[in-house]
Amino acid sequence: MIDLVALRSLIAVRDHGSVVAAAGVLGFTPSAVSQQLKRLEAPGSPVLERVGRGVVLTERGRLLADRGGRVLDELEALDHLGHETGVPVVGSLHLASFATAKRGLVAPALGVLAERAPDLRITLSGDDPRDVVDAVARGVADLGVVHDWESVHLDLPAGLDADLLLTDRADLVVHRDHRFADRTSVEPDDLVGEPWVVPPPGSICHDWLMAMFAGRAERPDVRYLDAEYATHLGIIATGTAIGLVPRLGRGPLPDQVVVVPVERPQPIRQVQAVWRRSTTDNPARRLVHEVLREVAASLTSSPAPSSHGEWGRSS
């Protein structure tokens, strides 16, 4: 009989490239993961082999991980069959989200859920949307909130479904004495040569900014890198840089800055919920998804933020 915990350990080693990395994801020690893997071995048929200083799956290990992953998905789906509607939702759910959505979308949703399902325990984590997708795909998170810029698409692995929650827009933020402060709009060509504060390389927001300037004679003059949009605004308020700040999850802006819309292209991103297809009928996932949609609808129907709109964290 195949041990399911051992199977999950093997899949984690495949996905993360080492026993140590798999242990970190699973919350085990490397020794415990190694012991789990031994349960999958047959005489003369190991599931791992050493290559240099690392390990790779043997043919047996690869087949077990590939077919075992499908089995685990099916078991997860079967676990949610037959749940009665109208019964209070209990248990636990792990929600992963990119940072600005935590403030602008997830936080108000948690308040609604605390009233609607007080016995449902929700934990929250996440960072860049790519990391959120990875957490959902691996089963570390049950539901994710991600975003997808129009010019930098977020790839979803097979087995994940997505649902559009809302469309968000970023604005140029400048010091009130900046030459663009009185403009009704700007275009990327206007911004060449300006000093920028931007999210760090590797984040999807950084990639989007670089894509916005693709094909132009000059790249943006990046002076400052920071993951916190609150830090961006603090720097912009000194007059030493400009930045693009999304509307979702912003709080009141400093008095020293103003917002200027960007056109051609508009900085627009699609905010989506993502989940494993095998958890479609999970009542906890469905409830949290439903509340996120309700909160997103209320945000969409609200007036657009003014020059003193919002602030939060990047990505």
Side-chain angles (χ1 to χ4, degrees), residues 117-280:
D119 294 323
L120 175 62
R121 182 176 184 270
I122 298 175
T123 55
L124 178 63
S125 68
D127 200 348
D128 188 77
R130 291 165 179 148
D131 297 326
V132 172
V133 166
D134 185 53
V136 174
R138 290 188 285 106
V140 175
D142 302 298
L143 181 65
V145 179
V146 300
H147 65 72
D148 185 4
W149 292 98
E150 290 190 342
S151 56
V152 181
H153 293 295
L154 185 67
D155 293 328
L156 296 183
L160 263 58
D161 281 338
D163 174 48
L164 178 65
L165 297 172
L166 59 88
T167 298
D168 187 31
R169 179 170 176 168
D171 299 301
L172 180 71
V173 182
V174 301
H175 190 273
R176 63 185 178 187
D177 295 330
H178 193 278
R179 62 193 179 99
F180 293 146
D182 294 328
R183 294 275 293 267
T184 57
S185 67
V186 292
E187 299 179 13
D189 285 338
D190 300 325
L191 306 177
V192 171
E194 292 287 334
W196 283 84
V197 54
V198 303
S203 67
I204 194 170
C205 289
H206 183 98
D207 292 349
W208 177 84
L209 179 68
M210 296 301 108
M212 189 175 79
F213 283 89
R216 290 173 168 81
E218 296 183 47
R219 306 292 283 169
D221 179 9
V222 175
R223 302 283 183 89
Y224 312 109
L225 296 170
D226 195 89
E228 299 285 342
Y229 278 130
T231 304
H232 292 206
L233 292 170
I235 292 172
I236 296 167
T238 69
T240 57
I242 64 174
L244 280 172
V245 182
R247 295 177 179 179
L248 178 64
R250 291 192 321 217
L253 298 177
D255 291 336
Q256 300 93 329
V257 307
V258 296
V259 164
V260 184
V262 180
E263 305 290 344
R264 291 189 287 191
Q266 293 182 350
I268 291 175
R269 59 184 183 174
Q270 310 297 324
V271 178
Q272 302 173 313
V274 296
W275 66 95
R276 294 184 303 285
R277 195 167 298 129
S278 57
T279 66
T280 296

